[in-house]
Amino acid sequence: MTTWTVHLRPNTAPVLVADAFSWGAALFGPIWLFAHRAWIAGVLALCAEAMLGVVADAAARAVLAVSLAWLLGLFGQDLRRWSLSRRGFAFAHVVAARSGDGAIVRLLDARPELAQDAMA
């Protein structure tokens, strides 16, 4: 069972963010962050990846690249939450469900007034 944080902004569909390791962020790094509109975090991750090629030798570069991917996997969802708060989304709920669809169902069961925004 995964916990999901729910972020709301008026007249916008709720955004659910899983509280789990993100394989997408670990494997694709800045591209994953850009896809989730976490622009600042994506640019910083891109700069960190570029710096690996400049300041590290080949052996250290591999270790640092794996470490950066691991950190992005661990904290990618937190970076998404930070980006959402910067865009005006407020943390509203925590929902536990096996999938994103199940989390939406549980959210709308608890807050039926959000159904109109969720369909947008």
Side-chain angles (χ1 to χ4, degrees):
M1 184 90 46
T2 304
T3 56
W4 303 76
T5 56
V6 179
H7 304 268
L8 301 174
R9 185 169 68 178
N11 303 319
T12 307
V15 177
L16 276 73
V17 179
D19 191 22
F21 185 86
S22 173
W23 285 103
L27 296 174
F28 302 109
I31 296 169
W32 183 87
L33 289 166
F34 292 144
H36 289 286
R37 298 182 62 199
W39 307 114
I40 295 172
V43 167
L44 291 175
L46 193 62
C47 290
E49 286 184 358
M51 290 296 292
L52 292 179
V54 175
V55 298
D57 62 343
R61 189 176 310 133
V63 172
L64 291 173
V66 169
S67 298
L68 179 60
W70 179 70
L71 287 172
L72 285 174
L74 282 177
F75 297 108
Q77 300 290 16
D78 294 326
L79 293 170
R80 258 184 88 193
R81 287 184 194 93
W82 177 73
S83 178
L84 285 168
S85 70
R86 289 188 49 82
R87 292 195 335 247
F89 283 85
F91 169 77
H93 299 284
V94 175
V95 180
R98 293 189 191 274
S99 68
D101 292 337
I104 287 284
V105 169
R106 286 187 178 215
L107 172 66
L108 295 179
D109 186 43
R111 298 270 312 264
E113 71 275 8
L114 296 176
Q116 182 65 28
D117 291 338
M119 298 304 158

